[in-house]
Every structure is written in C-alpha cells, then in structure tokens.
C-alpha cells in the first residue's frame, strides 16, 4: 500500500491505481440462493440431474404412435386425412402416465408431462377434436388433418442439461436467470463473494433533514439520500449513519460506527475550510490516508484511506457539493465496491466511447467528468454534454445518463470526436 498521494494532487489514473491496489475481493461465503442475487459465484456448478428428467411433451396434446397416422389415416371426401384414437387417460402436470400407448389409442397429456411408453409423438390439443363418449370414461380423440412425424413435440431427456454437466462457472455474476438455473440444478445454497456493506455519513452543520424548511444558512441534506440510493442501486446493504456535525467528538462517534462496514463514505468536511475536520478525525481513528486531492473536476478534495481494523474498511471522503459527491462516487467509489464484490473485470473493462454531439470547451488542467446524455443514432451513439451550473447543480445531473470524460491538458474537443464515458445507474 502506498501513501505517496497524500499532500499533493494526483491524477485520476493514479488515484484509481491506488484504490485498485488497496482493495481486495471479499472472502467467499456460502449464502442461501435467496440472498445471492448480484453476487459473483465462487464455485463451478454442475447439475445433479438431467433436464428434462425424462422425454417430455412440450405442448398440451395427445401422445400417439406416429405410425397410426400412416396406417390408419382415412381419406375423407374433402381429401384430408382423419384418424380416431381411443383416449386411455389424461395426465396433468405433476402426475405420470400409467398406461402404455399402443396402436389405436392415445393419452391426453399436458406440457412437461412424461411421454408414456409406446408413444413417439405428441399432437397439439388445438389440432384434435375430442368426443367424450357418454357413459364411457375414456372418449375418442378425432385428429383432423394430422400429419404426424415421430419425435414431434417431444423434448428428449437431458436435452437441455445432462446430469453432471457444468452449467455455471466461478466468476459468473448471478442474475435472475442464474438464480433460476441454480434452483433447477438443485442448489439451494451457493458459495459466492458476498455483497460489500456500505455506510454513508453526510457531514455539515448546515444540513437539515429533507422534511424541514431550511432557514437562512441551512440546506437540506441531499447527499445522504443520493449516496445511499447509489449504493442500493448496486444491490448493496447500506447503512445510514445520519448527519455528522462539524464537531470532532460527534464526527468521531459517527465515523467509528461507520468503520464496521466494508466501505464508509463521508461527504463534506474534506476541503480546506475551517471546519473541514474529517481528515484529522480519520487520522485519530487510525485510518491510513492513501491520497487526498485528485486532479479531477468536479471532486478535487477527494480523500481515500484504509482503516487498520479487521475489515480494512475503505474510507472515502467526498467533497460536499452534490455533483462532486456524485461524480466521485461513480468514478472512484463504485470501482472499489465492484472490486470488493469480485467484479474486477467490470473495473478493468475499457471505457466505451461515443461521438461528441457539440463542441466542448470545458477542458482544462484536471480530468473533467461532465454530465451528459447518450443518444442512439443511425450507425452509433452520440453524446451530448448537458448545460449545468457547477458542482451544486443536481437538477442538471438528473437529466444525465452518463458522465463524459475529458482527460487533463487537452485542447477543446471538436464535435464529431470520440469521447470516453461512464454510464450512470
Ligand atoms: P464541504 O465539502 O463540506 O465544504 O461542502 C461543500 C458544499 O457542499 C457546501 O456548500 C455544502 O453546503 C454542500 N454540502 C455539503 N454536504 C451536503 C449534503 N449532504 N447535501 C447537500 N449539500 C451539501
Ligand atoms: Mg462542510
């Protein structure tokens, strides 16, 4: 772990490299399937059975001997072929056939039911007229225009998955489909990298609960709900630490509480103001500073460190301005959370690019993350940098679905140039 970033401003690339170096994926745990959504698998998974377990019907219909349709077909006046077969039984989902199908008879069965012995094809219900004979339990199925080929509408045993087959490999992120697949192959618990826990502490004496009407000098705490929401959008367990006051003892108590999480985000109090007490309190609590100040716009005062506790809590001090806080979350905290969750591939993937819609003048000495909107156009994607009024302008940000990234020390970008961007959730 290096701490050469403390004291002087480092580049975005250096900051990201320091974060990458300091963060490690969490240790794997066995979780019930119901808690594993969004987690990365830490084991290969093989099936404990064939899917389907037996030859089964893929439609609601009648199991027949295909040969009955070449031998027994009767040419009707209209020229079409008609076949009549005796219905032996009806089998609904969850039951198994008890009869063997022989020439001249059929079994009515529903989707997913096993094919009865003797049958080699299924005719869809919609192509059959069924005459239930009064006083007879069985009835007659009347097949109109039935051209039947052996094997039709049957899914063979093990066609989707063979017993013992590898169905998911370690490293896969579990989405809804994977949960279904795991359930299908008999996994009710699974080894995964658990989701990181995230605690959020907005700080500032000016902050009020959103329900309050702020008197002069006060503002509503918007970073708290925003950062908690960003964490929840990533599927994380988040903890709201309430509002931290610009007071060493109060900050100390709140930060100590937050150090029980994998990641603690503190917003505000990391700049150069008189009451920017956060870095000092963190030092007192044995959180080792890795860097303070990054050459990024907005977000320059960003602070990052690692606690010397069992969890090695990663602590981010984000500047209090709402857009700065948001940009720092997306650009620096999100990759750390991804890496903790075992999703390093996501962090290391190259950034996508889009074609700049209008000339962009706002480049400078620092890397710029500018709120932007992507547009799908014929032949590609265009990116429009949105009008905004600095790092307090959350309203402008709400129309953005991406952050356009302009490297430091560049000349203004002409329209039509490729620009890297990061999607925002
Ligand atoms: P600071 O980084 O503490 O100097 O704060 C910079 C600016 O961001 C100040 O104008 C604060 O009022 C504002 N700010 C700080 N924290 C929040 C918050 N939780 N919600 C909204 N604005 C904030
Ligand atoms: Mg403050």
């Amino acid at each position: 772990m290096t701490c050469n970033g403390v004291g002087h401003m480092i580049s975005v690339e250096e900051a990201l490299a320091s974060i990458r170096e300091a963060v490690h994926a969490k240790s794997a745990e066995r979780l019930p399937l119901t808690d594993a959504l969004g987690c990365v698998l830490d084991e290969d998974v093989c099936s404990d059975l064939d899917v389907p377990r037996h030859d089964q019907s893929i439609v609601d219909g009648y199991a027949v001997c295909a040969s009955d349709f070449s031998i027994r077909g009767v040419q009707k006046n209209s020229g079409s072929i008609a076949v009549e077969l005796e219905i032996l039984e009806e089998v609904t989902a969850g039951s198994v056939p008890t009869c063997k199908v022989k020439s001249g008879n059929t079994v009515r069965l529903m989707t997913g039911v096993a094919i009865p012995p003797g049958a080699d094809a299924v005719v869809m219900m919609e192509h059959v007229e069924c005459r239930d004979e009064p006083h007879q339990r069985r009835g007659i199925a009347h097949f109109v225009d039935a051209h039947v080929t052996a094997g039709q509408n049957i899914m063979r045993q093990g066609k989707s998955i063979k017993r013992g087959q590898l169905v998911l490999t370690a490293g896969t992120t579990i989405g809804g489909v994977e949960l279904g697949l795991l359930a299908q192959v008999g996994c009710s618990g699974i080894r995964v990298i658990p989701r990181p826990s995230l605690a959020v502490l907005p700080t500032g004496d000016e902050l009020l609960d959103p329900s309050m009407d702020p008197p002069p000098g006060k503002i509503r705490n918007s970073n708290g709900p925003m950062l908690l929401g960003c964490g929840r959008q990533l599927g994380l367990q988040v903890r709201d630490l309430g509002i931290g006051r610009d007071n060493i003892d109060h900050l100390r108590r709140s930060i100590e509480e937050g150090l029980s999480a994998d990641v603690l985000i503190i917003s505000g109090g990391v700049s150069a103001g008189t009451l920017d007490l956060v870095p000092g309190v963190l030092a007192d609590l044995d959180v080792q500073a890795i860097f303070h100040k990054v050459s990024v716009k907005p977000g320059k005062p960003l602070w990052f460190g690692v606690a010397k506790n069992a969890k090695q809590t990663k602590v981010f001090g984000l500047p209090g301005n709402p857009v700065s806080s948001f940009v720092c979350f997306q650009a620096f905290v999100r990759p750390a959370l991804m890496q903790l969750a075992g999703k390093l591939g996501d962090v290391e993937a190259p950034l996508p690019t889009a074609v700049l819609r209008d000339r962009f003048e706002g480049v400078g000495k620092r890397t710029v993350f500018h709120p932007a909107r992507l547009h799908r156009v014929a032949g590609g994607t265009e990116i429009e940098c949105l009008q905004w009024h600095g790092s307090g302008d959350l309203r402008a940000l709400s129309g953005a679905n991406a952050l356009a990234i302009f490297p430091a020390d560049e000349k203004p970008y002409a329209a039509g140039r490729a620009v890297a961007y990061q999607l925002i959730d």
Side-chain angles (χ1 to χ4, degrees):
M1 201 179 293
T2 51
C3 67
N4 55 5
V6 183
H8 75 278
M9 193 151 72
I10 61 172
S11 69
V12 167
E13 294 72 25
E14 286 168 323
L16 288 173
S18 300
I19 293 169
R20 211 169 304 170
E21 193 189 323
V23 175
H24 305 282
K26 280 172 69 86
S27 309
E29 275 174 29
R30 194 163 188 81
L31 288 187
L33 207 50
T34 42
D35 290 344
L37 181 68
C39 295
V40 169
L41 261 180
D42 189 57
E43 60 181 338
D44 291 341
V45 177
C46 298
S47 179
D48 68 341
L49 41 65
D50 285 335
V51 179
R53 286 205 94 168
H54 39 62
D55 292 356
Q56 71 176 29
S57 177
I58 59 169
V59 294
D60 295 330
Y62 290 82
V64 298
C65 304
S67 56
D68 269 354
F69 290 77
S70 42
I71 303 164
R72 300 173 69 92
V74 179
Q75 190 91 31
K76 295 207 298 187
N77 293 344
S78 59
S80 61
I81 303 283
V83 170
E84 291 193 336
L85 299 175
E86 186 189 353
I87 304 168
L88 299 178
E89 63 174 336
E90 177 179 276
V91 189
T92 51
S95 303
V96 288
T98 58
C99 300
K100 185 168 162 39
V101 173
K102 295 203 195 84
S103 174
N105 48 47
T106 180
V107 163
R108 180 158 56 208
L109 79 189
M110 304 305 143
T111 304
V113 167
I115 304 298
D120 62 357
V122 178
V123 179
M124 277 175 84
M125 197 79 98
E126 291 82 341
H127 298 162
V128 180
E129 277 169 20
C130 177
R131 247 184 7 250
D132 282 322
E133 304 273 291
H135 315 301
Q136 279 193 7
R137 278 178 42 237
R138 293 177 170 176
I140 300 293
H142 182 79
F143 296 76
V144 194
D145 258 353
H147 295 281
V148 176
T149 47
Q152 75 174 37
N153 294 326
I154 294 176
M155 186 164 180
R156 295 291 170 201
Q157 176 174 346
K159 183 77 182 168
S160 171
I161 303 170
K162 295 260 185 300
R163 184 178 174 175
Q165 184 182 330
L166 179 67
V167 291
L168 289 171
T169 49
T172 305
T173 299
I174 300 175
V177 171
E178 287 72 25
L179 283 181
L181 188 54
L182 288 163
Q184 197 174 43
V185 302
C187 289
S188 53
I190 191 78
R191 258 183 85 79
V192 294
I193 301 180
R195 272 179 288 271
S197 55
L198 175 69
V200 173
L201 177 67
T203 70
D205 280 343
E206 71 279 34
L207 301 180
L208 293 181
D209 185 83
S211 62
M212 314 271 278
D213 188 8
K218 306 284 185 193
I219 56 164
R220 294 186 176 120
N221 163 32
S222 53
N223 289 350
M226 177 179 71
L227 295 166
L228 288 163
C230 289
R232 283 201 193 97
Q233 271 182 323
L234 295 177
L236 306 181
Q237 283 285 355
V238 296
R239 175 144 180 230
D240 181 358
L241 296 170
I243 295 171
R245 295 301 166 201
D246 292 327
N247 160 299
I248 289 178
D249 290 336
H250 189 262
L251 276 180
R252 195 184 160 93
R253 278 197 301 277
S254 305
I255 291 174
E256 261 177 329
E257 229 181 300
L259 290 178
S260 61
D262 293 309
V263 174
L264 166 62
I265 301 177
I266 302 165
S267 97
V270 290
S271 311
T274 317
L275 288 180
D276 289 333
L277 308 170
V278 168
V281 174
L282 287 169
D284 280 352
L285 288 172
D286 229 6
V287 181
Q288 187 191 349
I290 307 282
F291 62 74
H292 188 190
K293 293 197 178 70
V294 178
S295 180
V296 60
K297 192 179 171 189
K300 186 170 86 176
L302 177 66
W303 190 101
F304 172 64
V306 179
K308 292 183 188 151
N309 59 7
K311 278 221 153 111
Q312 300 226 308
T313 303
K314 312 299 175 279
V315 182
F316 289 89
L318 311 187
N321 267 315
V323 181
S324 309
S325 262
F326 181 80
V327 164
C328 287
F329 180 90
Q330 296 296 334
F332 302 98
V333 185
R334 192 180 189 282
L337 291 165
M338 288 291 152
Q339 203 177 334
L340 274 161
K343 300 176 184 173
L344 188 59
D346 188 290
V347 177
E348 288 181 334
L351 288 170
T353 62
V355 175
L356 186 62
R357 188 169 262 198
D358 306 299
R359 182 179 168 81
F360 184 77
E361 299 275 355
V363 292
K365 292 223 160 303
R366 290 182 271 156
T367 301
V368 174
F369 284 75
H370 195 98
R373 188 138 198 99
L374 295 167
H375 300 275
R376 204 174 296 163
V377 292
T381 310
E382 277 184 4
I383 190 160
E384 174 195 7
C385 288
L386 301 179
Q387 291 272 342
W388 70 315
H389 305 286
S391 43
D393 190 4
L394 211 47
R395 191 208 54 78
L397 190 58
S398 86
N401 58 8
L403 294 169
I405 304 168
F406 298 93
D409 299 320
E410 280 273 349
K411 300 228 156 44
Y413 270 49
R417 196 164 157 192
V419 177
Y421 65 87
Q422 186 173 330
L423 279 176
I424 54 188
D425 299 313

